[in-house]
Structure formats: structure tokens, C-alpha cells
């Protein structure tokens, strides 16, 4: 039978009771973490979001009625206890903030009973993800998940305060908006009033925030929920949160400056970590050349070395052929790994095949000076020596090479570098390496669509000095776009926007948009720009990923209260679900099953 809390008022959260309270009476409320009946004494660990407090029931202190009630307590019962704070009679628990004290109970109320939960509520529970997510409300009781959620809340407050102090206004933009097929797939919402018409849920507030600049709001931010209907590879969620911002009358350096100060403040206040400013910057080209990635993890070396010129005329056809076909040959030096068994090297070869590489060539340098290599027999002694010295190979090193188009070589060696670092334990979660990657290419060739697409989005400003190539060599044009990278993860990105209509027109032309199509999709923005648009720029962070890195967890699901799984469903609510025919009728929609359609 559940009792009421009438007449009781909580005086402390569990872990807020301290040694200073010894001798005073407290009223605490929370969940039973565990209870142990040791004959004459019942020990109960009381848990709430602050932590755990030990409660002691002894018949001599609380009377037989309370003692009998305490004997009924089970895990996850919700209780209220009134008692006196004492020094621990038994062993001090140094793992607990409240490990030196205990509360000797006088009163007990059972505010709610609990069935036996499907899993024990504990830190780092080994329970299967499916079970955790089905009972997410229980999973969210776990102290580690609660810590993540508390950190997330605090981080949002720090961000809000910093941006407000720096002249930003928090403004909400619509959730029901217009579909713009450029970009990822939209989530659509049918309109009842306009049968056959649909809203889209926003992929980002991009166009609205630019309109707010046209409207003179000068600096905007929003913690914005965004939606993208993509096949969920890796660690993605169909809805996620951006810290979104836009600023007027600024250029790249201004956006970078305010965001560096924001990150420094955030890491100082939440983690007590100093972020040295300025954060290093690297152009996209340099990032690709040195790390094979536009989001380099700079916590460790093993940089790529371009050996194209060294091997272009060598006897090994895989190398010279790739160069002749316009590609490159690059390598990485896994220092001290010359003893790696053949089996492991084969596994690395299989690994890079996922990134398009046809194989991985290697040279293993023995401690005794012996050279083992997959391709030595095709090379002269001098060619081998030239290659090893270009790689700064020393006794005991393992040199790994890929030869292909630049794109494939970068992708495979970039991924291999991270893979090796994981294997060799080179990644320290307590080290935070920030990096700006700048001067991204404006455009990216899409084989699928047989046209250029915008690497960032169609409103991104080309670098002035590259505008001259926009007709003759569009792939060469760099953009005023930047990403902020933390430990090899892109945590945010943005750009300076185009605010001159001739450049915007040109951009649409290069992207293969007719005037009509551009107008159909973005007409309201283009119209707005005719009425005085200030130069503007912005950036958006992926908040979930940022908090994930700050909490040192491996998945964004651990920092989102109610996440979805890979197929975009919610295991707790069962969403998405079939709806009533009546609801569909009202919307003028008929759902056709695959069978019927066939
Ligand atoms: N809207 C962009 C994005 O979602 C960010 C920006 O350009 O500000 O990536």
C-alpha cells in the first residue's frame, strides 16, 4: 500500500547530507538501491539523482512497526525517511560522498512499491541495449546516465549565458516548414487543411536564421531540434540538437573568435579543462594531405606521407600504375610495429578495402635490419631504400602504403590511421585537441547525380580569390566554410554566406539549378535578399556529439534522454506506429501496403 507524504517535507537530497549535519534530523526521499537485513539491523541504500545515502533501521530506535515495514523494502521502492544523521558505526565507504555518515531512521513511509525491475539499476550496467531502451525510464535512473544528463543541462546553461553576454538573441524558428530537397531526406508532415500538401520538419534552421539577419536581429542563437531522414549508419539519430547561431557584419575570423571563447568557457566551467586559445587552424587541403581526413584527430602522429614522386617510375606496377592514372601513393609509418604478425597485417588490408582500397602494401623493418615486404621483389634495392627513407623508416617500423585515386588513398589511410591508434591504445579520452578546418572546397562532384553539389550548402560564400575559377574549374574553388573538430570528430561547422545576388545566381547555375527551380525552393530567401541583406555568417554545433565527447561515452544515445535505435524506432513508445483510418481520412491520405501495391 502506497502512503502519502502528507506532513513531511524533504530537507535534503541524499548526497547533500554531510558530516556537518551530524546530530541533526533530516527528511530524505528517494529509491531503495538495495536493502540488507542483518537480523537486528536493516541497512538501506537510498538513491536519488544526487547519489546514495545509507539508512539504518534498528528496532531500538525506530520501534517494531517501522522495523517491520523496513523489512518489506525491496529495490526501487520509493520511500521517505526521517532520522538522525550519525557518524558511520560500521566501515567507512570511501567510494561514496556520504561514506562517513549514516541516517538512523525513526520514521519510514513507503510512497510507492516497485515490481522487480527487469535489470538492476547500476552504473555501467551490462544489460542489453534493447532492454535498456524499452525500459528507458529505468535506464535513466542509472547514476552514469544521470550524470550525463546533468552535464548536458549545465552545458546548455553555460552556452546560453555566454551567447547572451555576447549579444546573441535566442529566437525560435518553425518546426513545420517547407520541404527543400537539397540535402538529406526530409521528414514530412501531412497537412489536414491542405490535403495533398506537406510540411517538412527542419533539417536545420538555416534559411530562417539567414532571414533573421535580413530582419536586423544581428546575432541569433537557438538550441534547435533538427530532423534528417537518413538511413542510420553508425551513431546517428533521426532527431538531434544543434546549437545554431548566425551573426551579421562578420567574416570568418569573427565567427571563429566568438566560438573559441565559447568553447573555452564551456570546457572550463563544465570540465575544468583549459582550452588553449587560439585553437589551431588547418586548411582542408593540409588536413587531407597530412591526415587523410577533413576531421583529423591530432592527439597522435602517424601522419600520411606522399611518396608519389618517389615511386612514380618504380618497378611495382600497383604504385606506378596508380600514379600514371592520375592518383597518388601515400604511406603511414606505424612506429615500432615491424613485428606485427602477417595475420594482423592481412586484417588491416581487409579493413582498408571497406574504404575502396584494393589492397595495402607493406614494408616491415626488422630490429635486425631485415626487410620484409609484400612488393620488394618488384623493386630495385635503391628504390626500396628511397621509399624507406622518404617514410623515415627505422629498424622495427611497419610502413603501410595505399595506391589509388587521391580520394580512395585519403579515405583508406585516414581510417587506417585511426584504426591503428585504437589498436595501439594511443587515444586518450582525457585529452581534448580542438582544430579548425578551413577553406573547404565549395563544390563536390557527385558521380550519382553527374553534377556538382554544394559541399556545405548552396548559400556558402566562395573565397574571393577563387571566384575567377568558378566557370573554368569549379572544383578548384574554395569556400569560406569552416568546421570545428574535437579529437577527430566534427562537432560543428558553418560558413560565411553569399549576400551578393550575382554570386548567388552563379552558384545556382554551377549547381545546375534553373532560375525557376531555385526560385521555387528558396524564393522567399532570394526575395528577402532584395530588401537589404547584411553580410552574415554562422555556425552550428551538434550538441549531442559535443556532450558525448565531454562525458567520455561512446554513443550519443547515452546523452539523449529518449533516443531511437538504428531503424529510427523508439523501443519504449513503439513509434512509429500505424494510425487510425479515421486519422488518415482526415488527412486525405491512403496507406497502401506493399502487397496491395503489387
Ligand atoms: N546549417 C548548417 C548545418 O546544419 C550550419 C551552418 O552553416 O550554420 O550544418
Amino acid at each position: 500500500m502506497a502512503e502519502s507524504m502528507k506532513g513531511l517535507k524533504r530537507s535534503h537530497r541524499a548526497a547533500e547530507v554531510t558530516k556537518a549535519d551530524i546530530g541533526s534530523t533530516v527528511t530524505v526521499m528517494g529509491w531503495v538501491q538495495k536493502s540488507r537485513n542483518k537480523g537486528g539491523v536493516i541497512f538501506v541504500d537510498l538513491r536519488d539523482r544526487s547519489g546514495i545515502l545509507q539508512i539504518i533501521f534498528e528496532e531500538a530506535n525506530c520501534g517494531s512497526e517501522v522495523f517491520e515495514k523496513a523489512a518489506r523494502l525491496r529495490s526501487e521502492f520509493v520511500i521517505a525517511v526521517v532520522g538522525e544523521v550519525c557518524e558511520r558505526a560500521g566501515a567507512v565507504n570511501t567510494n561514496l560522498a556520504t561514506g562517513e555518515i549514516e541516517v538512523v531512521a525513526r520514521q519510514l513511509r513507503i510512497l510507492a512499491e516497485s515490481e522487480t525491475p527487469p535489470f538492476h539499476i547500476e552504473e555501467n550496467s551490462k544489460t542489453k541495449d534493447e532492454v535498456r531502451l524499452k525500459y528507458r525510464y529505468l535506464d535513466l535512473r542509472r547514476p552514469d546516465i544521470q550524470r550525463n544528463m546533468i552535464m548536458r543541462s549545465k552545458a546548455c546553461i553555460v552556452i546560453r549565458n555566454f551567447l547572451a553576454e555576447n549579444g546573441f538573441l535566442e529566437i525560435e524558428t518553425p518546426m513545420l516548414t517547407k520541404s527543400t530537397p537539397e540535402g538529406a531526406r526530409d521528414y514530412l508532415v501531412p497537412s489536414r487543411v491542405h490535403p495533398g500538401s506537406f510540411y517538412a520538419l527542419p533539417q536545420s534552421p538555416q534559411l530562417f536564421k539567414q532571414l533573421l539577419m535580413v530582419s536586423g536581429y544581428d546575432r541569433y542563437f537557438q538550441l534547435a531540434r533538427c530532423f534528417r531522414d537518413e538511413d542510420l549508419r553508425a551513431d546517428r539519430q533521426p532527431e538531434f540538437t544543434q546549437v545554431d547561431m548566425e551573426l551579421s557584419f562578420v567574416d570568418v575570423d569573427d565567427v571563429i573568435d566568438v566560438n573559441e571563447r565559447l568553447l573555452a568557457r564551456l570546457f572550463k566551467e563544465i570540465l575544468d579543462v583549459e582550452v588553449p586559445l587560439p585553437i589551431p587552424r588547418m586548411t582542408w587541403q593540409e588536413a587531407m594531405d597530412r591526415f587523410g581526413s577533413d576531421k583529423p584527430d591530432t592527439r597522435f602522429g602517424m601522419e600520411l606521407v606522399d611518396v608519389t614522386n618517389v615511386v612514380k617510375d618504380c618497378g611495382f606496377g600497383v604504385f606506378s600504375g596508380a600514379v600514371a592514372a592520375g592518383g597518388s601513393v601515400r604511406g603511414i609509418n606505424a612506429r615500432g610495429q615491424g613485428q606485427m604478425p602477417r595475420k594482423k597485417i592481412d586484417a588491416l588490408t581487409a579493413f582498408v578495402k571497406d574504404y575502396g582500397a584494393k589492397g595495402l602494401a607493406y614494408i616491415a623493418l626488422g630490429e635486425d635490419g631485415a626487410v620484409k615486404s609484400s612488393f620488394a621483389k618488384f623493386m630495385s634495392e635503391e628504390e626500396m631504400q628511397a621509399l624507406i627513407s622518404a617514410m623515415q623508416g627505422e629498424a622495427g617500423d611497419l610502413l603501410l602504403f595505399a595506391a589509388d585515386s587521391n580520394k580512395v588513398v585519403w579515405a583508406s589511410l585516414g581510417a587506417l590511421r585511426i584504426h591503428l591508434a585504437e589498436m595501439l591504445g594511443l587515444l586518450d579520452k582525457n585529452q581534448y585537441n580542438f582544430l579548425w578546418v578551413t577553406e573547404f572546397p565549395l563544390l563536390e562532384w557527385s558521380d550519382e547525380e553527374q553534377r556538382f553539389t554544394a559541399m556545405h550548402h548552396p548559400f556558402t560564400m566562395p573565397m574571393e580569390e577563387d571566384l575567377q575559377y568558378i566557370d573554368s574549374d569549379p572544383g578548384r574553388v574554395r569556400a569560406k566554410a569552416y568546421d570545428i573538430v574535437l579529437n577527430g570528430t566534427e562537432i560543428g561547422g558553418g560558413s560565411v554566406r553569399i549576400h551578393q545576388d550575382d554570386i548567388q545566381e552563379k552558384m545556382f547555375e554551377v549547381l545546375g539549378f534553373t532560375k525557376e527551380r531555385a526560385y521555387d525552393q528558396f524564393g522567399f530567401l532570394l526575395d528577402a535578399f532584395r530588401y537589404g541583406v547584411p553580410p552574415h555568417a554562422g555556425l552550428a554545433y551538434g550538441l549531442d556529439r559535443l556532450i558525448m565527447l565531454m562525458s567520455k561515452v561512446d554513443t550519443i544515445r547515452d546523452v539523449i534522454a529518449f533516443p531511437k535505435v538504428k531503424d529510427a524506432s523508439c523501443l519504449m513508445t513503439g513509434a512509429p506506429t500505424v494510425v487510425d483510418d479515421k486519422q488518415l481520412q482526415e488527412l486525405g491520405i491512403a496507406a497502401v501496403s506493399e502487397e496491395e501495391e503489387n
Side-chain angles (χ1 to χ4, degrees):
M1 258 283 286
E3 298 175 88
S4 95
M5 57 175 276
K6 191 157 185 256
L8 292 185
K9 195 166 166 52
R10 181 170 65 174
S11 65
H12 295 75
R13 290 209 174 85
E16 284 166 1
V17 182
T18 67
K19 268 171 91 175
D21 297 305
I22 287 176
S24 60
T25 297
V26 295
T27 303
V28 288
M29 303 186 186
W31 287 259
V32 174
Q33 174 70 30
K34 64 177 175 202
S35 98
R36 286 151 293 158
N37 194 336
K38 296 260 167 93
V41 198
I42 297 169
F43 295 89
V44 169
D45 280 350
L46 178 89
R47 186 194 71 237
D48 66 16
R49 81 168 200 219
S50 68
I52 281 177
L53 177 65
Q54 177 164 287
I55 315 278
I56 292 231
F57 293 90
E58 280 170 315
E59 201 160 353
N61 289 312
C62 62
S64 60
E65 201 182 316
V66 167
F67 190 78
E68 274 159 34
K69 207 197 273 182
R72 285 178 39 223
L73 294 178
R74 296 285 170 269
S75 288
E76 304 311 316
F77 276 31
V78 183
I79 59 172
V81 172
V82 181
E84 195 188 327
V85 183
C86 299
E87 207 157 326
R88 266 207 194 186
V92 163
N93 182 345
T94 48
N95 292 326
L96 286 184
T98 57
E100 291 175 75
I101 52 168
E102 61 195 8
V103 168
V104 177
R106 297 196 188 287
Q107 290 183 48
L108 167 67
R109 291 201 204 160
I110 297 179
L111 303 177
E113 297 188 354
S114 167
E115 293 178 16
T116 306
F119 51 88
H120 192 55
I121 311 294
E122 64 184 351
E123 188 131 356
N124 302 320
S125 144
K126 298 262 182 300
T127 311
K128 276 205 292 208
D129 280 355
E130 298 85 84
V131 181
R132 285 179 52 192
L133 291 175
K134 176 157 197 274
Y135 299 94
R136 182 61 163 177
Y137 43 87
L138 296 180
D139 193 46
L140 283 168
R141 283 186 193 165
R142 282 168 43 181
D144 45 341
I145 302 281
Q146 289 198 339
R147 267 200 306 275
N148 300 346
M149 299 313 297
I150 291 167
M151 176 189 285
R152 184 176 177 128
S153 166
K154 286 188 180 154
C156 290
I157 290 167
V158 172
I159 292 168
R160 279 205 161 89
N161 288 343
F162 175 89
L163 290 173
E165 283 164 27
N166 282 273
F168 288 79
L169 301 173
E170 182 167 9
I171 302 176
E172 288 164 281
T173 54
M175 282 282 135
L176 296 177
T177 176
K178 183 182 151 108
S179 174
T180 46
E182 186 81 350
R185 203 179 293 111
D186 285 324
Y187 275 101
L188 297 177
V189 179
S191 159
R192 178 182 56 82
V193 184
H194 306 278
S197 290
F198 295 82
Y199 302 97
L201 300 179
Q203 296 189 22
S204 88
Q206 185 62 35
L207 302 180
F208 290 103
K209 69 173 173 175
Q210 292 194 240
L211 289 170
L212 288 170
M213 297 302 104
V214 176
S215 305
Y217 286 86
D218 196 78
R219 287 183 172 204
Y220 137 98
F221 85 97
Q222 181 179 196
L223 302 192
R225 192 63 67 82
C226 303
F227 304 85
R228 293 181 193 173
D229 186 3
E230 290 169 303
D231 292 324
L232 301 187
R233 310 168 264 136
D235 200 18
R236 294 216 185 179
Q237 288 283 315
E239 51 181 308
F240 58 97
T241 306
Q242 285 190 341
V243 177
D244 190 43
M245 67 181 76
E246 195 76 9
L247 305 80
S248 288
F249 307 111
V250 294
D251 209 329
V252 176
D253 287 348
D254 306 287
V255 180
I256 285 185
D257 169 65
V258 79
N259 278 285
E260 290 189 346
R261 288 186 291 114
L262 167 61
L263 289 167
R265 166 87 75 91
L266 183 64
F267 275 68
K268 181 71 199 161
E269 287 200 15
I270 303 293
L271 298 174
D272 200 22
V273 165
E274 302 285 345
V275 177
L277 299 187
I279 290 170
R281 296 189 201 183
M282 194 180 285
T283 64
W284 178 89
Q285 190 64 53
E286 185 182 345
M288 298 310 287
D289 283 335
R290 288 177 54 193
F291 300 95
S293 166
D294 59 4
K295 37 181 184 294
D297 191 332
T298 54
R299 283 176 297 175
F300 65 101
M302 259 200 295
E303 294 187 16
L304 278 57
V305 180
D306 188 347
V307 293
T308 308
N309 281 328
V310 184
V311 298
K312 62 181 194 298
D313 303 315
C314 76
F316 184 33
V318 172
F319 285 176
S320 48
V323 182
S328 61
V329 182
R330 295 166 205 255
I332 53 183
N333 184 344
R335 293 228 176 264
Q337 294 303 309
Q339 300 304 319
M340 190 179 285
R342 188 54 205 273
K343 255 204 171 138
K344 272 201 174 164
I345 298 181
D346 288 345
L348 298 180
T349 307
F351 175 85
V352 294
K353 285 188 176 158
D354 283 349
Y355 296 85
K358 288 185 231 29
L360 199 58
Y362 72 88
I363 301 176
L365 299 169
E367 294 292 354
D368 54 359
V371 175
K372 262 193 267 168
S373 168
S374 56
F375 57 88
K377 56 177 177 273
F378 304 107
M379 307 272 278
S380 70
E381 183 68 23
E382 298 79 67
E383 284 171 340
M384 280 303 265
Q385 280 315 318
L387 187 53
I388 291 168
S389 99
M391 295 299 297
Q392 297 184 342
E394 286 167 17
D397 289 350
L398 176 66
L399 314 178
L400 299 159
F401 302 92
D404 214 306
S405 67
N406 278 335
K407 224 175 155 171
V408 168
V409 171
W410 280 329
S412 34
L413 291 186
L416 180 66
R417 185 180 163 266
I418 302 291
H419 183 65
L420 282 167
E422 280 165 357
M423 265 173 62
L424 303 174
L426 303 180
L427 303 176
D428 176 3
K429 277 191 182 165
N430 293 307
Q431 189 182 342
Y432 293 99
N433 277 29
F434 287 92
L435 177 73
W436 288 103
V437 178
T438 61
E439 301 182 15
F440 274 77
L442 182 69
L443 303 158
E444 194 173 27
W445 179 257
S446 161
D447 281 332
E448 194 182 317
E449 296 182 45
Q450 284 296 303
R451 65 169 178 112
F452 279 107
T453 56
M455 193 133 168
H456 189 53
H457 50 56
F459 312 104
T460 297
M461 181 68 188
M463 286 176 61
E464 278 90 356
E465 55 267 53
D466 288 356
L467 272 171
Q468 52 181 318
Y469 308 117
I470 197 136
D471 290 309
S472 57
D473 190 2
R476 177 171 175 183
V477 180
R478 292 164 299 166
K480 286 191 164 186
Y482 33 77
D483 275 358
I484 177 75
V485 174
L486 172 56
N487 293 353
T489 300
E490 178 212 323
I491 55 169
S495 61
V496 174
R497 325 300 183 188
I498 299 172
H499 83 288
Q500 298 99 315
D501 49 7
D502 53 333
I503 300 179
Q504 188 66 66
E505 257 173 46
K506 185 94 242 166
M507 183 72 177
F508 281 132
E509 188 189 309
V510 183
L511 292 174
F513 276 56
T514 60
K515 261 210 162 104
E516 291 69 41
R517 194 164 140 235
Y519 219 84
D520 186 47
Q521 281 191 33
F522 309 112
F524 56 99
L525 186 73
L526 303 177
D527 278 343
F529 278 20
R530 300 191 349 241
Y531 297 96
V533 49
H536 58 290
L539 177 143
Y541 292 94
L543 181 68
D544 311 289
R545 261 190 264 175
L546 178 59
I547 302 294
M548 176 186 90
L549 295 176
M550 293 177 76
S551 334
K552 305 186 178 80
V553 294
D554 295 321
T555 158
I556 57 170
R557 287 206 305 252
D558 283 348
V559 299
I560 296 174
F562 298 103
K564 296 190 174 57
V565 290
K566 250 206 169 118
D567 69 357
S569 64
C570 167
L571 298 183
M572 185 185 68
T573 63
T577 54
V578 172
V579 295
D580 278 354
D581 280 342
K582 182 159 167 285
Q583 281 175 294
L584 288 181
Q585 265 165 24
E586 269 177 353
L587 294 168
I589 286 184
V592 181
S593 74
E594 259 174 79
E595 270 166 48
E596 285 172 70
E597 200 175 26
N598 293 338

